[in-house]
Amino acid sequence: LIMPGESLEALRSLPQGVRALVLTAVDDPLLACEVARAGAHGFLPKASSPEQLAEATFRVAGGETVFPSLPDLTDRELEILEHLSSGSPNYEIASALKLSVKTIENHVERLKDKLGKDSAAALRAWAARR
């Protein structure tokens, strides 16, 4: 998936009725969310076994969806992650989004829980790498 060009845009432009299973080297639950929103029906790491790939292919072809346990992120949380990825401190995010710093801190705490990060610094580093 993460290749030069507009990978997610290619998913969005698939004809109606085409079922897509994304195979990627990036085993990232947030990427899986983005892929699902772009119209894919499945997401599988390249490190998956041949048996897992075969099963996922048959399931997607049969009308099912195959995704890892996806974090349920709100549009606001995705927006805050975008700001975190650029290194913005909480007070700048709050100002940009016209929210209080406390509200941003609350969102950061929920994001840490949802994405399994043990600190705000780990969350920021993860967001920056994405």
Side-chain angles (χ1 to χ4, degrees), residues 2-117:
I2 303 297
M3 298 178 70
E6 300 295 325
S7 302
L8 291 175
E9 195 53 44
L11 278 173
R12 290 184 190 98
S13 66
L14 289 174
Q16 187 78 6
V18 172
R19 300 190 56 80
L21 171 63
V22 171
L23 188 63
T24 179
V26 181
D27 189 6
D28 179 345
L30 193 55
L31 180 59
C33 288
E34 292 173 24
V35 163
R37 287 183 177 156
H41 298 90
F43 180 90
L44 202 61
K46 283 184 181 178
S48 299
S49 70
E51 294 80 13
Q52 290 169 316
L53 178 58
E55 179 186 348
T57 302
F58 285 115
R59 287 179 58 196
V60 168
E64 295 180 55
T65 58
V66 177
F67 287 97
S69 179
L70 300 177
D72 186 20
L73 300 180
T74 66
D75 289 340
R76 178 64 82 189
E77 288 168 336
L78 291 170
E79 193 174 22
I80 290 169
L81 270 177
E82 185 175 328
H83 283 277
L84 290 171
S85 72
S86 66
S88 299
N90 289 353
Y91 71 89
E92 284 182 10
I93 300 170
S95 177
L97 301 179
K98 297 179 178 30
L99 298 170
S100 74
V101 173
K102 181 64 178 161
T103 298
I104 299 302
E105 290 169 353
N106 289 338
H107 280 294
V108 168
E109 287 302 313
R110 279 195 298 279
L111 284 165
K112 284 173 24 187
D113 289 341
K114 287 182 177 184
L115 298 172
K117 304 301 172 198

